[in-house]
Amino acid sequence: MSSRSATLLAETEWLVLEEIHQSRVRRFTAPYLLRRSTGAKHPVEDFLFTYYNQKPGQLLRWHPGAGVALAGAAALDRTGWKYYTQNDDGVGVDGAAILHDRGATVDFTLTILSGTAARPAQFGCFGLHEWAMAYKSRLNGVRHEYLELRLGAEGTDGVVEAEKIRCTHFDAFRFYTPEAVPRNELTPTRENQRTLEQPGCLHANMDLYKWAYKLTPLLSSGIVMDCFELSWRIRAMDMRASPYDLSEWGFPPIRIETPEGKAEYVRKQRAFSAESQELRRRLLDELQRAVEPCRAALPLR
């Protein structure tokens, strides 16, 4: 934390911000924790807590982000939190320490975000990645064993075999069934991820949440939650367009096997792409503002 450039928040001010954040988070975490305690599952609302590795308790912690100092006695509790430090102004995030320990993650995130933001969006996938994950389910089973396939196993296979599949996202592609892998026109890998990610991809846009929380507490909790809530809404669309029947959960299908369903999918995909690009640029801006003064504070090697 740079004492020369830090914005100082009075204790009465930041405690209110912390309470607002925690209320915002509990709207999502409380139902999930209740389901988890009873063994219940939800195909849409559990995803951000089971696929991503940010725990509800971690999300609940409010962070002001780099360049902000917190005043008052209550802030002293944070001196025991990782990457927090105290100086004459107050308690805040030690951005230089984060860069020292996690500089490679910061650089990779900047590369992914800036590269994706600069590429044209593609809108021809129609959400078929979820169908490819359920292809030949009689042999492989299905990922969501408690859900029914809307068209049955043979109907699902027929859609996969009738369509061109062009998924650009490695973390969707890696869940394809073995028989579906050669049907994808591309071969996404972890190595080519930085060149294939594009802003039309629902999963790339959901992953804004991942890139944001990976850099906690360098980034503010406000932008992390903006990414979380966007990802939450995209997940609902992703599963509506999937081969699973979620009608009883309150999610009517987007029937991408029909021309009308494809058109509906693309309309929603374009809207999410535009929203995600705006948030991606905000995330880049906040990350770059946090990183630049911290890099200056690092010792020369």
Side-chain angles (χ1 to χ4, degrees):
M1 180 177 64
S2 170
S3 61
R4 292 177 301 172
S5 59
T7 299
L8 181 63
L9 294 182
E11 185 174 53
T12 52
E13 183 178 2
W14 69 261
L15 285 175
V16 170
L17 295 175
E18 181 180 58
E19 183 178 355
I20 291 170
H21 167 75
Q22 291 176 345
S23 296
R24 184 181 182 186
V25 171
R26 286 193 182 99
R27 185 164 66 90
F28 300 97
T29 58
Y32 167 70
L33 292 172
L34 179 60
R35 285 193 300 273
R36 191 176 71 176
S37 70
T38 61
K41 295 181 179 180
H42 195 293
V44 174
E45 297 180 2
D46 289 352
F47 180 76
L48 269 66
F49 302 112
T50 55
Y51 176 75
Y52 296 113
N53 60 19
Q54 173 91 322
K55 295 179 175 61
Q58 294 171 317
L59 186 62
L60 195 63
R61 279 190 168 186
W62 175 75
H63 301 284
V68 178
L70 306 179
L76 296 177
D77 291 342
R78 294 176 179 242
T79 57
W81 294 14
K82 191 172 185 179
Y83 296 124
Y84 273 80
T85 188
Q86 181 182 10
N87 66 14
D88 292 340
D89 284 337
V91 177
V93 174
D94 189 343
I98 296 175
L99 279 183
H100 179 272
D101 293 350
R102 302 170 63 191
T105 300
V106 171
D107 290 341
F108 185 77
T109 301
L110 286 168
T111 297
I112 284 286
L113 293 176
S114 59
T116 305
R119 291 187 194 99
Q122 300 174 27
F123 299 109
C125 70
F126 306 121
L128 285 162
H129 55 276
E130 289 287 345
W131 295 71
M133 296 177 199
Y135 185 55
K136 299 295 182 184
S137 61
R138 293 195 189 279
L139 295 174
N140 303 292
V142 291
R143 293 191 67 216
H144 305 286
E145 72 284 350
Y146 60 100
L147 299 177
E148 295 290 332
L149 291 171
R150 184 165 53 80
L151 303 181
E154 291 183 2
T156 300
D157 292 350
V159 171
V160 173
E161 291 163 2
E163 301 286 349
K164 291 183 178 180
I165 307 178
R166 189 179 172 81
C167 178
T168 58
H169 192 69
F170 171 69
D171 283 314
F173 179 71
R174 68 189 176 97
F175 290 108
Y176 278 27
T177 64
E179 295 81 5
V181 167
R183 292 185 170 275
N184 205 66
E185 292 185 354
L186 302 168
T187 306
T189 65
R190 188 64 72 202
E191 289 70 30
N192 64 21
Q193 180 180 12
R194 67 188 68 200
T195 60
L196 280 184
E197 294 278 273
Q198 49 86 19
C201 173
L202 293 189
H203 277 262
N205 294 331
M206 279 193 282
D207 276 354
L208 289 176
Y209 169 57
K210 176 178 71 175
W211 302 122
Y213 79 69
K214 276 182 176 291
L215 296 178
T216 298
L218 190 65
L219 298 174
S220 68
S221 288
I223 200 163
V224 172
M225 278 305 295
D226 287 347
C227 293
F228 178 96
E229 290 177 353
L230 173 65
S231 184
W232 184 277
R233 290 185 288 113
I234 293 176
R235 172 63 176 177
M237 175 187 162
D238 195 37
M239 289 303 289
R240 286 183 61 202
S242 78
Y244 300 101
D245 186 355
L246 272 67
S247 299
E248 67 178 60
W249 301 84
F251 296 95
I254 299 174
R255 302 179 187 277
I256 58 92
E257 70 275 14
T258 68
E260 296 78 12
K262 284 182 171 67
E264 181 183 1
Y265 184 92
V266 171
R267 283 196 302 272
K268 295 179 183 298
Q269 186 183 25
R270 285 183 179 276
F272 275 129
S273 179
E275 186 178 354
S276 299
Q277 280 287 68
E278 181 179 348
L279 186 53
R280 185 174 283 108
R281 294 186 184 100
R282 282 182 52 211
L283 193 55
L284 266 171
D285 287 345
E286 183 166 328
L287 181 54
Q288 288 165 340
R289 285 197 306 270
V291 164
E292 287 170 6
C294 297
R295 288 200 195 280
L298 287 174
L300 294 175
R301 295 184 178 179

